Amino acid sequence: MDLNSLFDPNSVAVIGATDKEDSVGLELCRNLMESDRNLFFVNPNRDEVLGKDTYESVKDIDQKIDLVIVAVPAAIVPEVVEEIPENTGSVIIISAGFAESGEEGQKRQEEVKQILSQKNIPLLGPNCLGIISPSTNLNASFAPATPQEGSVAFLSQSGALIDSVIDKSLAEEYGFSSLVSFGNQADINVRDLLSHFKKDDATKAIALYIEGVKKGKKFIEKAKEVVKEKPVVVLKSGVTTKGKEAVGSHTGSLAGDAEIYEAAFRKAGIFQVHTIEQLLQTSLTLAERQPCDNNIGIVTNGGACGVMATDWCEKYGVQLAELSEETLDKLDDSEVMDPAFSRRNPLDIVGDASSERYKVAIESLLEQEDIEGLIVIQTLQAMTDAEKNAEVIIEAQNSYNKPILPCFIGGKMTKPGVGLLTKNNIFNFSEPKRAVLAMKALIQQNNFN
């Protein structure tokens, strides 16, 4: 299925365009006006919307439309879909009131799907937010904002979740290649989207929120194929009895047994997480850091955090490297290293560690051949310079072909260092558990490459 007309259309028509405040149709039109596309607004009850003349029907538009977006009440969606020309590239149905709403909605969804199938037009939705593609400067959704461009494609069965993730990304200054709300999957499904982003040059990793999938065996086969080229991280909800019931009323999906999904994800090489924070942090790391073998080092200026990281390494199956005699000699010979350093991995360089001490420790461990990756923990002491420590990590990441995952723990005084890391596409982890989990993902991806 060719989805280019979805993500990079030259022409877009909105059925249900309106200037009514606090309406889906108005937000769609406003977002599309920010995109450099040829726009057509359809509304038989308005002469113009946002200064553009409207059309009574999509049939009245005298040129081929790449993308038609439908945002009208569910009861009249079949009627307006009948009017969409056969040479249309693709359709997004924003409207709710389909399979997620019961038997009548299911019948309506099947009717709409059949109409578009006969015209050979791909359908995204219904019951979705739409799509946002920063990499092609397109916002075909009613989301409240457009995120900056990045290298992660976020595919979500929930449109509301996308809205909140966008807000979070704006605050923390990271971006996405695309964000797709696929809703009820009447036609275009997760497999189709995975195939598209496997070929998308702007996407380096795929983050996936799902409640249930159709044709699970085919999904796993497709995921296996994609993971060989690009990492896929999944957050699966509906894993409890009550959660499964909630899924049915949300997107009309069958949630399935958690254990079956977990086994299938492992088999496919999909990395499973359990929180929104983990989903974002892990996918962002996989997009920007190279996979590595399972033998890592930890540098910390706080012994407690080193112990916590060690615990999580054991729980997640992440192996800690033994420090070689050569590495210990380098540390001993350094004028900036405190003699009380731990002499083992995790390497505790003591609370008063300067940026120069961090530099020596980081470079010494990275130069040890069998250390494949590094977690660098910073706790905030009076003498800690978060920005200079960030500069040390950025320089080391640019110099060594090994992943470095920073774990700067703190808030206000840590923020400048975290901001500097983010500007250089190095994502910070606010606690050891998250850093270790992301390192595990890099190790798993290495096994599937």
Side-chain angles (χ1 to χ4, degrees):
M1 188 181 291
D2 185 355
L3 300 183
N4 288 327
S5 60
L6 262 181
F7 294 97
D8 196 14
N10 291 316
S11 55
V12 183
V14 179
I15 303 177
T18 181
D19 51 10
K20 181 182 177 182
E21 286 297 332
D22 299 321
S23 67
V24 169
L26 176 59
E27 295 308 317
L28 270 168
C29 293
R30 280 176 172 164
N31 284 335
L32 285 165
M33 293 284 278
E34 298 297 321
S35 307
D36 186 20
R37 314 287 158 159
N38 195 9
L39 301 180
F40 302 90
F41 293 163
V42 178
N43 188 330
N45 302 312
R46 293 280 199 284
D47 292 329
E48 65 174 43
V49 170
L50 298 180
K52 291 182 66 66
D53 292 340
T54 61
Y55 293 79
E56 187 168 335
S57 167
V58 70
K59 294 187 300 183
D60 299 332
I61 301 171
D62 60 359
Q63 64 175 274
K64 180 181 182 298
I65 304 299
D66 294 319
L67 174 60
V68 172
I69 306 173
V70 179
V72 298
I76 64 170
V77 168
E79 178 185 337
V80 300
V81 166
E82 281 277 17
E83 298 180 345
I84 295 175
E86 290 188 1
N87 65 348
T88 298
S90 55
V91 170
I92 300 174
I93 297 180
I94 302 293
S95 317
F98 292 88
E100 82 285 355
S101 64
E103 186 176 346
E104 184 180 344
Q106 178 67 52
K107 289 179 181 177
R108 186 183 295 122
Q109 181 168 305
E110 288 300 321
E111 180 184 2
V112 169
K113 178 183 177 182
Q114 185 175 4
I115 293 169
L116 291 173
S117 294
Q118 289 173 348
K119 298 182 181 188
N120 199 30
I121 302 174
L123 163 66
L124 182 70
N127 183 31
C128 71
L129 177 76
I131 66 168
I132 306 168
S133 180
S135 64
T136 60
N137 188 33
L138 175 72
N139 188 335
S141 79
F142 61 99
T146 301
Q148 67 186 49
E149 186 175 351
S151 54
V152 172
F154 180 33
L155 319 181
S156 174
Q157 207 156 354
S158 164
L161 179 58
I162 288 179
D163 286 337
S164 292
V165 164
I166 290 172
D167 189 36
K168 182 177 177 60
S169 75
L170 293 173
E172 298 183 8
E173 299 185 315
Y174 57 82
F176 297 91
S177 58
S178 292
L179 303 97
V180 185
S181 163
F182 50 85
N184 292 6
Q185 302 181 80
D187 181 24
I188 295 172
N189 55 47
V190 178
R191 301 190 307 277
D192 301 318
L193 294 169
L194 287 174
S195 292
H196 174 81
F197 287 107
K198 175 190 173 188
K199 299 177 290 185
D200 180 42
D201 291 339
T203 298
K204 296 180 183 178
I206 300 169
L208 179 61
Y209 168 76
I210 59 171
E211 294 166 358
V213 296
K214 301 173 181 179
K215 299 182 180 179
K217 186 175 180 181
K218 288 187 176 181
F219 168 75
I220 294 304
E221 289 172 355
K222 174 56 65 177
K224 274 185 179 180
E225 175 189 317
V226 174
V227 166
K228 290 178 182 177
E229 297 191 28
K230 293 181 181 179
V232 179
V233 185
V234 66
L235 172 58
K236 165 74 173 71
S237 67
V239 298
T240 64
T241 301
K242 291 296 183 182
K244 291 175 189 178
E245 294 174 4
V247 163
S249 63
H250 182 211
T251 55
S253 298
L254 295 176
D257 292 333
E259 295 80 6
I260 295 174
Y261 273 100
E262 289 172 6
F265 294 150
R266 283 196 301 271
K267 184 177 180 182
I270 298 172
F271 193 79
Q272 185 176 10
V273 296
H274 300 284
T275 69
I276 297 168
E277 197 77 27
Q278 290 174 351
L279 178 67
L280 297 172
Q281 292 182 335
T282 305
S283 57
L284 287 163
T285 300
L286 284 165
E288 298 298 337
R289 302 279 76 82
Q290 60 274 52
C292 66
D293 285 336
N294 191 4
N295 209 39
I296 70 140
I298 298 173
V299 174
T300 180
N301 70 338
C305 291
V307 173
M308 284 186 270
T310 302
D311 284 341
W312 286 114
C313 283
E314 183 169 336
K315 289 178 181 179
Y316 285 138
V318 174
Q319 181 175 308
L320 292 179
E322 294 287 337
L323 299 187
S324 69
E325 289 299 323
E326 183 179 359
T327 297
L328 292 173
D329 287 344
K330 288 179 183 177
L331 296 170
D332 282 329
D333 291 343
S334 169
E335 294 180 359
V336 299
M337 192 61 60
D338 190 299
F341 75 88
S342 64
R343 308 189 65 81
R344 62 185 303 277
N345 190 13
L347 177 60
D348 183 358
I349 56 174
V350 192
D352 66 347
S354 62
S355 299
E356 290 78 11
R357 195 182 299 172
Y358 265 106
K359 178 178 174 66
V360 169
I362 289 169
E363 292 181 351
S364 296
L365 267 63
L366 290 174
E367 286 169 4
Q368 183 171 316
E369 189 173 342
D370 66 344
I371 291 181
E372 305 292 340
L374 199 61
I375 293 173
V376 179
I377 300 172
Q378 174 198 276
T379 60
L380 195 69
Q381 316 296 335
M383 62 290 298
T384 303
D385 190 325
E387 282 190 274
K388 285 187 177 179
N389 288 344
E391 289 173 359
V392 168
I393 289 173
I394 293 163
E395 181 183 354
Q397 188 61 85
N398 292 335
S399 301
Y400 295 88
N401 190 34
K402 298 178 180 182
I404 305 173
L405 306 188
C407 180
F408 283 21
I409 303 170
K412 181 178 179 180
M413 289 182 281
T414 304
K415 189 174 181 179
V418 172
L420 185 57
L421 290 168
T422 303
K423 287 178 183 177
N424 285 272
N425 292 323
I426 300 176
F427 197 85
N428 181 66
F429 299 87
S430 59
E431 60 172 331
K433 178 182 179 180
R434 294 175 180 174
V436 175
L437 183 69
M439 187 65 78
K440 179 186 177 183
L442 291 171
I443 293 165
Q444 176 175 301
Q445 186 62 26
N446 189 64
N447 295 331
F448 280 88
N449 277 0

